[in-house]
Amino acid sequence: MADHERAGISEYGYSEPGLAAPHGKEEPQQLDDDGRPKRTGTLWTACAHIITAAIGAGVLSLSWAMSQLGWIAGVSILLLFSAISLYTAYLLADCYRSPNPLTGKRNYSYMEAVKATLGKTMCMICGWILYGNLTTFVIGYTITTAKSLVAIQKSNCHRKRGTNSPCKFSNNPHMIGLGIIEIFLSQIPNFHKLSWLSTVAATMSFAYSLIGIGLSIQKIVKGAEGRTSLSGVAGFEVGVSASDKVWRMFTAAGDIAFACSYAQVFIDIQDTLKSSPPENKVMKKASTVGVSIMTTFFVMCGCFGYAAFGNHAPENLLAGLGYQETSWIVDMANLFIVVHLVGAYQVLIQPVFRVVEFWASRKWPDSGFITCEHPIGRILFGSKRMTLFSINLFRLTWRTLFVVMVTVVALALPFFTDMLALMGAIGYWPIVVYFPVEMHIAQNEIGRRTRKWFGLQFLSLVCFLLSLAAASGAIQGLYKNLHTYKPFMSKD
C-alpha cells in the first residue's frame, strides 16, 4: 500500500493533517472502515451543506429570469432543472462507493468517483471543468457580496440625501474586505470542519429569500404589481429587438441552471456522513429534502418577484424593493446575503484547496513547509492537552494567494447577471448531468441501445443543448459589457 494511502490520503482527495488516523493514537472503535476518524455527519448537516451551496444569491435573479421567459417557460424550466438536479443527485449518491454503492471503496471527491468508474482520462477532464467551475463560482460570490454591501450604502445615502440623489459607491473596497475575511476563513483545514459555517449560511439564505418573497407580496397586495405575460419579454416587449430577446432567454436559462446546481460539492458532502445508515441512502434523503426546499423557495422568489415587477423585473430582486418605508428590511436582507456568501465561498472552494494540497504533498513528501502542522492555542482538558488550532505554512501561503487571485479577477470583471449565467452554463451539463449519467451507466453495466440507455442519453443531450444556449447568451452579454467597462473602476 502506498504511503499516502496508509496515511488516509486518497489520490484525488487530499486529507489534511489531523484528518488521517495516526498509528497507535486512535482507539479502533473511533475509526471508520478506511482508517480515518469516524465521520459524524447526519441527514441534517448534509441538508445544511446542500442548502448553503444551492440557495445562493442566484435565487434573487430568478424573477428577472421569469420576466424574460414568461409564466409558462419560466416555471417549466425552473421545475425541469430542479427535477434533473434531484435525479442526477440520486445517481451520484451511488458513486461515493465503488464498485458496490454499499460496501465498495470510498471515493473522497468527485474526481475520484469519476476515475474509479470512467478511468483516468475522464477524471482529468472532469478535474479541469470542476475546479475551474468552483473557482468561477467564488469569483461570482465576491462580486455579489460587494454589490450587496454597496446596496446598503446607497440605501443609507438615499435616506439622508433623498431618493433623487446620485449616490455612487465603488465595489472595490468591499471586494478587498471580503478577500481579507476569506483569507482567515480559508485556514479552516477541511470540509469536515465546516458544519457550523454551513448552518449559519443556510439560515441566512432562508432569511433573505423570505424577505424578498414577503416584500414582493406586499407590493402585489398594494396593487403596484407589474404587467406580466405567458411568454414574458420574448412575446410582449416591443422595445427589444428579436436578437436581444433570444440572447436574454438564453441568459435567463443559465441563471436558472446556476441556481439549481450543487453537484460540484456533492461527494464532499457525502464524505462527511456517518457510515450507518448507508451513506448513499442518507444522501438521497438529504437531496430530496434539500432540493424540495430549494425548489419551493425558487418558485416563490421567481413567481412573486415576477408578479411584483412584471416584465421589467430587476436583475437582483432586492434592488427593486428598496423603497423608502421598507429600505431597512432590504438592508437587512443584503446583510444576510453577505453572511451567507462568506460561508458559501468556503463550502465551494474546499475541494480546490484539497486537490492542490494533495498534489504538493505527493510531490514533496519530505518538505516540512508542506507537511508539518504547527499547533496553536493548546489547552489542558482533564489529563490531556488539546490543540485548538494548527497552522500549516503551505496551506497558509497557497490559500492566501488563491483568495488574492480571486479578488483581483473579481475587481476586473464585476458583471452580475451574465456572470451568473456563464457559471451555470459551464458547469451544469458536464458536472450535474453528463458525468453522473455516464457513471451510472458504467456502474450498473447498462447495455448500449437499450431503452434505459437511450433515455439517459436523451436527457444528457437535452441538457447539453440548454447549457450551450445559456453559455451563448452569457458570452454575448459579457461581450457587450466589455465595450463599456473600465477594469478596476466599478461603481454602482
Side-chain angles (χ1 to χ4, degrees):
M1 184 180 289
D3 291 340
H4 68 273
E5 290 172 331
R6 283 197 298 269
I9 301 172
S10 58
E11 185 170 356
Y12 291 97
Y14 173 57
S15 176
E16 287 82 355
L19 192 59
H23 296 298
K25 295 186 179 181
E26 297 281 357
E27 296 296 329
Q29 63 269 24
Q30 293 178 318
L31 304 179
D32 267 330
D33 56 2
D34 59 347
R36 294 186 177 187
K38 275 195 174 292
R39 293 156 176 82
T40 57
T42 64
L43 170 67
W44 301 113
T45 60
C47 286
H49 286 314
I50 290 171
I51 291 168
T52 299
I55 306 182
V59 69
L60 300 175
S61 70
L62 292 178
S63 58
W64 178 86
M66 287 282 294
S67 71
Q68 306 308 306
L69 299 167
W71 287 113
I72 297 175
V75 174
S76 299
I77 291 176
L78 200 159
L79 294 177
L80 174 65
F81 276 122
S82 295
I84 292 171
S85 292
L86 180 59
Y87 176 69
T88 57
Y90 273 51
L91 303 185
L92 265 181
D94 290 332
C95 297
Y96 172 63
R97 290 181 181 265
S98 59
N100 187 298
L102 295 177
T103 60
K105 176 184 172 293
R106 295 174 188 266
N107 297 308
Y108 303 112
S109 68
Y110 198 116
M111 277 185 74
E112 270 198 85
V114 172
K115 182 174 184 286
T117 312
L118 302 178
K120 193 168 184 177
T121 301
M122 295 303 290
C123 169
M124 298 308 295
I125 294 171
C126 170
W128 282 107
I129 297 171
L130 175 65
Y131 297 120
N133 199 226
L134 289 172
T135 302
T136 311
F137 276 142
V138 295
I139 293 171
Y141 281 6
T142 303
I143 295 167
T144 307
T145 300
K147 287 184 174 287
S148 294
L149 289 170
V150 166
I152 296 173
Q153 279 187 292
K154 291 175 71 174
S155 175
N156 291 330
C157 175
H158 287 312
R159 279 198 293 269
K160 291 177 182 178
R161 302 180 186 176
T163 54
N164 294 324
S165 177
C167 296
K168 293 284 184 180
F169 298 95
S170 174
N171 293 317
N172 295 354
H174 302 299
M175 293 188 195
I176 294 169
L178 175 69
I180 293 170
I181 292 171
E182 294 298 349
I183 286 172
F184 286 100
L185 288 177
S186 291
Q187 300 313 308
I188 297 173
N190 51 61
F191 213 101
H192 298 255
K193 308 295 183 183
L194 285 177
S195 294
W196 67 272
L197 193 58
S198 281
T199 301
V200 172
T203 303
M204 295 297 101
S205 65
F206 285 138
Y208 67 70
S209 297
L210 287 171
I211 288 173
I213 292 167
L215 291 178
S216 295
I217 293 173
Q218 182 190 45
K219 185 175 172 66
I220 295 167
V221 169
K222 284 185 174 182
E225 71 274 11
R227 183 177 178 182
T228 64
S229 62
L230 293 177
S231 55
V233 169
F236 169 79
E237 198 70 27
V238 293
V240 181
S241 67
S243 61
D244 276 347
K245 289 179 181 180
V246 172
W247 291 124
R248 284 191 184 181
M249 289 174 64
F250 289 168
T251 302
D255 282 0
I256 295 174
F258 166 79
C260 296
S261 176
Y262 67 95
Q264 292 85 350
V265 292
F266 188 93
I267 299 294
D268 300 86
I269 295 171
Q270 192 166 348
D271 189 45
T272 67
L273 295 175
K274 296 177 182 178
S275 300
S276 181
E279 302 94 350
N280 63 332
K281 294 183 179 180
V282 176
M283 200 61 189
K284 288 176 182 179
K285 289 181 182 178
S287 295
T288 302
V289 174
V291 172
S292 297
I293 293 171
M294 174 191 82
T295 305
T296 301
F297 273 87
F298 287 180
V299 170
M300 292 174 70
C301 275
C303 291
F304 285 125
Y306 181 38
F309 291 97
N311 290 341
H312 298 287
E315 295 179 358
N316 183 325
L317 178 60
L318 293 177
L321 293 169
Y323 40 89
Q324 197 70 24
E325 63 268 28
T326 59
S327 59
W328 67 272
I329 302 178
V330 176
D331 290 349
M332 188 182 298
N334 278 306
L335 184 60
F336 291 157
I337 290 174
V338 171
V339 176
H340 170 257
L341 293 181
V342 166
Y345 188 116
Q346 290 303 313
V347 169
L348 290 180
I349 212 59
Q350 282 294 332
V352 178
F353 290 157
R354 182 178 57 196
V355 76
V356 171
E357 287 155 19
F358 165 72
W359 171 82
S361 71
R362 288 191 70 188
K363 192 167 183 65
W364 299 285
D366 299 322
S367 170
F369 176 75
I370 291 172
T371 60
C372 288
E373 292 284 320
H374 303 279
I376 295 175
R378 287 188 171 184
I379 61 172
L380 191 64
F381 188 77
S383 60
K384 298 180 179 179
R385 282 192 172 274
M386 295 184 64
T387 301
L388 293 179
F389 198 73
S390 62
I391 290 292
N392 174 278
L393 294 179
F394 175 70
R395 184 169 68 231
L396 176 64
T397 304
W398 127 253
R399 294 188 182 192
T400 299
L401 290 174
F402 178 86
V403 174
V404 170
M405 180 196 73
V406 164
T407 305
V408 170
V409 174
L411 288 167
L413 296 171
F415 307 129
F416 184 67
T417 301
D418 296 309
M419 268 302 253
L420 289 178
L422 186 58
M423 285 186 284
I426 289 172
Y428 192 87
W429 175 68
I431 302 300
V432 181
V433 181
Y434 176 76
F435 286 116
V437 163
E438 292 302 315
M439 285 192 286
H440 178 72
I441 290 172
Q443 194 174 42
N444 293 275
E445 299 179 348
I446 298 171
R448 294 175 66 86
R449 298 183 179 86
T450 60
R451 183 180 298 177
K452 187 171 184 180
W453 184 87
F454 275 116
L456 289 169
Q457 295 300 332
F458 178 74
L459 170 66
S460 184
L461 176 63
V462 169
C463 290
F464 171 73
L465 294 175
L466 284 170
S467 295
L468 194 63
S472 301
I475 291 169
Q476 190 266 351
L478 287 170
Y479 176 77
K480 288 173 64 177
N481 281 326
L482 285 171
H483 286 286
T484 59
Y485 175 71
K486 295 180 180 180
F488 305 101
M489 298 292 289
S490 169
K491 285 191 177 183
D492 277 333

